[in-house]
Amino acid sequence: GENVEQHPSTLSVQEGDSAVIKCTYSDSASNYFPWYKQELGKGPQLIIDIRSNVGEKKDQRIAVTLNKTAKHFSLHITETQPEDSAVYFCAASSSTNAGKSTFGDGTTLTVKP
Amino acid sequence: DGGITQSPKYLFRKEGQNVTLSCEQNLNHDAMYWYRQDPGQGLRLIYYSQIVNDFQKGDIAEGYSVSREKKESFPLTVTSAQKNPTAFYLCASSMDRFSPLRNTEAFFGQGTRLTVV
């Protein structure tokens, strides 16, 4: 089955700096890669996603890049703000596997004011 | 408002008791999922269902049971056979299985925190 590894497990940055979280996956059939943000005591919410036919996608301060050959994808947050502090999860899924997602273990991002 | 609702938010269970967590969605999604989240860890799949009256085991199904009698509802029972049930449980749903984009984002509920006392 799919295996997703996420690094780092914790990340602390100064407000205004950039943050980068990286994930690798093992199943070459995976073709959908969402990123979720989870605030304390709440369920995860999608912040950005990318499909395997695209190498990069951007939405304001958030961007995701995908390298299919190397089987890794990354989340980039620029101009970080204290409200970006949360746990971020990457995931990978394949349309041939019932659409189930395999999640990374999460990255706790802290943005210091 | 469309969404996915889990109840209760907090649940306490005595050892040896079964307990059922509720999950309801009005998004008209076909697929529903149950995940378990332990502190500092990712989401582990317990059970999932792609269609009414059908469900499949996930990675950690032992000690849990589910039913899918209605499209909108996917309750999870934590049985006394589950050795370490204290955790945060998340229900999710995703869209139409007939869509050309079969794998799409999952919409999560707000979770149920289960504590065994």
Side-chain angles (χ1 to χ4, degrees):
Chain A
E2 175 66 277
N3 181 48
V4 176
E5 294 192 358
Q6 182 172 346
H7 299 281
S9 56
T10 59
L11 179 59
S12 182
V13 299
Q14 210 62 40
E15 184 177 358
D17 288 350
S18 295
V20 180
I21 302 170
K22 298 182 179 181
C23 289
T24 60
Y25 63 98
S26 60
D27 187 353
S28 56
S30 289
N31 56 1
Y32 176 65
F33 306 92
W35 285 89
Y36 295 89
K37 176 182 181 183
Q38 185 179 26
E39 296 178 344
L40 196 62
K42 296 186 177 180
Q45 283 195 302
L46 181 81
I47 54 171
I48 196 167
D49 56 10
I50 192 167
R51 296 193 181 275
S52 58
N53 58 347
V54 174
E56 184 172 359
K57 184 175 178 181
K58 193 172 182 181
D59 182 4
Q60 300 183 333
R61 296 187 296 109
I62 295 173
V64 57
T65 58
L66 171 65
N67 183 327
K68 283 190 298 182
T69 305
K71 295 199 191 75
H72 66 70
F73 55 112
S74 300
L75 177 71
H76 305 253
I77 306 174
T78 58
E79 300 172 23
T80 53
Q81 301 165 3
E83 50 266 40
D84 293 330
S85 296
V87 180
Y88 291 82
F89 291 98
C90 63
S93 72
S94 163
S95 53
T96 61
N97 190 24
K100 293 181 299 161
S101 291
T102 300
F103 287 81
D105 283 344
T107 296
T108 301
L109 173 65
T110 303
V111 179
K112 299 177 184 175
Chain B
D1 268 20
I4 182 164
T5 303
Q6 288 185 243
S7 61
K9 191 172 174 67
Y10 299 97
L11 189 56
F12 296 88
R13 188 196 93 173
K14 291 183 180 178
E15 284 196 29
Q17 284 183 338
N18 292 357
V19 65
T20 297
L21 283 59
S22 169
C23 179
E24 304 275 332
Q25 53 99 358
N26 60 1
L27 300 166
N28 201 32
H29 286 170
D30 284 303
M32 296 187 74
Y33 313 83
W34 274 105
Y35 292 91
R36 171 181 171 137
Q37 186 175 28
D38 293 286
Q41 297 190 30
L43 308 178
R44 292 185 289 167
L45 184 65
I46 304 172
Y47 268 98
Y48 66 101
S49 166
Q50 288 186 277
I51 192 173
V52 174
N53 292 323
D54 186 53
F55 47 83
Q56 307 294 331
K57 291 182 179 180
D59 301 318
I60 55 165
E62 186 175 350
Y64 300 98
S65 66
V66 293
S67 63
R68 187 86 187 275
E69 296 176 4
K70 298 186 298 182
K71 188 176 185 178
E72 304 79 25
S73 179
F74 190 41
L76 172 75
T77 297
V78 185
T79 75
S80 56
Q82 169 48 236
K83 298 274 187 285
N84 185 19
T86 295
F88 189 51
Y89 290 88
L90 286 161
C91 179
S93 68
S94 65
M95 63 178 285
D96 185 355
R97 66 193 176 98
F98 294 115
S99 167
L101 300 177
R102 284 190 64 206
N103 50 345
T104 59
E105 73 173 289
F107 289 78
F108 284 87
Q110 293 299 290
T112 293
R113 187 166 297 282
L114 173 64
T115 303
V116 173
V117 296

